[in-house]
Amino acid sequence: QDGAARSFCRQLADMCEISGMDFSKEPLLPPLCTRPEHVERALKAHYQDAMSALKPLGRELDLLIAILPDNNGSLYGNLKRICETDLGLVSQCCLAKHVFKTTQQYLANVALKINVKVGGRNTVLVDALSRRIPLVSDRPTIIFGADVTHPHPGEDSSPSIAAVVASQDWPEVTKYAGLVSAQTRRQELIQDLFKVWQDPQRGTVNGGMVRELLLSFHRSTGQKPQRIIFYRDGVSEGQFYQVLLYELDAIRKACASLESNYQPPVTFVVVQKRHHTRLFANNHNDQRSVDPKSGNILPGTVVDSKICHPTEFDFYLCSHAGIQGTSRPAHYHVLWDENNFTADGLQTLTNNLCYT
């Protein structure tokens, strides 16, 4: 019912206000109810009504709250597709069961999600504010993260999806922007990091995900990154140098396309989670090296000797507390380092980034 929807939106607005957001207590338009098969038409019409009210004021629509049935099938995906690709609108979906039985914890969790979606920060490291994060705080630095998701075996027509995120603030390195791109199925190299194509009107056009994110960093901070740190997930050892050669070249070309002599130093790190190495405390009764609840090693534990490569720059880092089961440390391989980082500095930075 409209009453339940209004009450839920008011409670959510109150929680967002308490959390520190500037949040309107009343929605711009009254709640609209529609059947799942009509959602696209209704959503676009409702959006046009909202923009008609906001355009004269020179404002945009900030947020759509959608209350979905508990078993909604493809409705969630359809709604996200329309909002993300057709309307360019930030949306927050909630299930009906939470509307009827709302708790303060649920509202607080949703408020955190909304804050990030509309460009806010939920957490900032104290060391970032006081400019004490190693390898980042001394000069403008952009942190990239990249991965490729492949279709399941048997899905012959689905492409692989490449995703790249990059920090958009400095020195906090807490806000990240993300881009995704479909590419040839089962291709591990990210094909759209940098690309060049011919346009009939504009001639030769440069683009690609790294270039877009570098430009976005400059718009957000007013500065060009003087250092690039690139974390690459999901690469097997047999593909290390194939990925390094192709993607490092793409990063360099993206930088050069912005300014011919712009070549900030790059550190390229591969992160592996799918391995069989587990770390345990030597003395299980030592409270300084064991989590008393789970028995796992403490978050922040680093191993960079004995079980690591004898000549290459690699280390294991367990950056999160393991609540259930045995903690799985991430294995970091530094394949390329033009910044001449020390092992201690890179390990501390990586652990800090895992918290943000």
Side-chain angles (χ1 to χ4, degrees):
Q1 301 96 353
D2 279 3
R6 285 180 183 278
S7 171
F8 173 75
C9 288
R10 254 194 304 275
Q11 291 180 69
L12 184 58
D14 288 340
M15 179 57 74
C16 290
E17 284 266 298
I18 292 167
S19 304
M21 280 180 262
D22 182 15
F23 208 95
S24 172
K25 288 292 174 73
E26 289 297 324
L28 181 69
L29 298 175
L32 171 71
C33 184
T34 188
R35 293 189 59 75
E37 59 268 25
H38 302 144
V39 72
E40 183 162 1
R41 188 174 63 217
L43 192 53
K44 288 180 177 177
H46 213 49
Y47 178 76
Q48 291 305 323
D49 293 343
M51 292 310 293
S52 299
L54 290 171
K55 268 274 170 63
L57 305 174
R59 293 169 57 196
E60 292 281 330
L61 191 59
D62 295 314
L63 178 69
L64 167 78
I65 295 175
I67 300 169
L68 307 183
D70 298 336
N71 298 314
N72 54 70
S74 61
L75 179 58
Y76 173 82
N78 288 337
L79 191 137
K80 287 291 181 185
R81 175 182 55 78
I82 297 160
C83 289
E84 296 279 341
T85 61
D86 293 345
L87 305 179
L89 176 60
V90 175
S91 59
Q92 177 61 54
C93 296
C94 306
L95 292 178
K97 63 182 179 183
H98 296 304
V99 173
F100 293 120
K101 193 179 178 184
T102 304
T103 63
Q104 291 299 298
Q105 183 64 62
Y106 175 75
L107 293 170
N109 290 344
V110 174
L112 288 174
K113 294 182 75 172
I114 290 172
N115 186 47
V116 170
K117 288 178 182 181
V118 297
R121 291 192 194 97
N122 286 342
T123 57
V124 178
L125 291 170
V126 173
D127 282 359
L129 295 176
S130 54
R131 298 206 174 194
R132 290 200 313 248
I133 293 186
L135 320 183
V136 167
S137 297
D138 57 333
R139 67 172 100 156
T141 303
I142 186 168
I143 312 289
F144 282 93
D147 193 13
V148 180
T149 304
H150 301 293
H152 298 296
E155 289 185 32
D156 296 334
S157 60
S158 302
S160 291
I161 305 293
V164 181
V165 299
S167 57
Q168 298 295 293
D169 55 350
W170 179 83
E172 296 89 351
V173 291
T174 304
K175 282 187 188 176
Y176 285 79
L179 295 172
V180 294
S181 173
Q183 62 182 40
T184 309
R185 67 188 310 276
R186 300 271 151 214
Q187 171 66 266
E188 185 57 47
L189 303 176
I190 301 178
Q191 295 168 338
D192 281 350
L193 286 182
F194 177 71
K195 56 185 179 181
V196 181
W197 69 95
Q198 293 296 323
D199 183 89
Q201 275 78 41
R202 295 183 291 166
T204 303
V205 180
N206 295 315
M209 294 191 279
V210 169
R211 190 177 193 275
E212 293 303 316
L213 291 166
L214 287 170
L215 288 169
S216 180
F217 180 93
H218 186 263
R219 283 194 297 271
S220 300
T221 63
Q223 303 190 71
K224 291 186 297 185
Q226 295 177 25
R227 180 190 286 136
I228 293 174
I229 304 174
F230 197 96
Y231 288 94
R232 179 67 159 86
D233 192 17
V235 180
S236 61
E237 289 196 27
Q239 291 182 298
F240 274 5
Y241 291 99
Q242 183 187 5
V243 168
L244 173 66
L245 287 171
Y246 183 87
E247 297 185 1
L248 184 63
D249 183 56
I251 293 166
R252 290 228 173 95
K253 285 176 178 173
C255 293
S257 73
L258 298 170
E259 279 181 19
S260 57
N261 61 348
Y262 176 54
Q263 286 296 323
V266 179
T267 297
F268 195 101
V269 185
V270 167
V271 191
Q272 291 180 319
K273 290 281 280 184
R274 293 180 184 178
H275 55 74
H276 300 288
T277 304
R278 302 292 181 271
L279 304 176
F280 302 93
N282 192 35
N283 178 5
H284 204 68
N285 297 316
D286 183 2
Q287 296 297 309
R288 292 171 300 173
S289 58
V290 177
D291 186 311
K293 286 186 179 177
S294 65
N296 277 306
I297 53 172
L298 294 174
T301 301
V302 172
V303 173
D304 59 1
S305 60
K306 303 287 177 73
I307 61 171
C308 295
H309 197 280
T311 57
E312 294 178 4
F313 186 174
D314 72 318
F315 57 92
Y316 290 90
L317 167 64
C318 184
S319 53
H320 297 99
I323 299 168
Q324 191 172 11
T326 305
S327 294
R328 182 188 302 189
H331 192 187
Y332 296 85
H333 301 258
V334 183
L335 300 188
W336 189 261
D337 182 24
E338 295 172 337
N339 291 292
N340 298 319
F341 289 154
T342 63
D344 281 353
L346 189 58
Q347 288 158 7
T348 306
L349 168 65
T350 304
N351 195 43
N352 279 327
L353 293 174
C354 289
Y355 285 116
T356 60

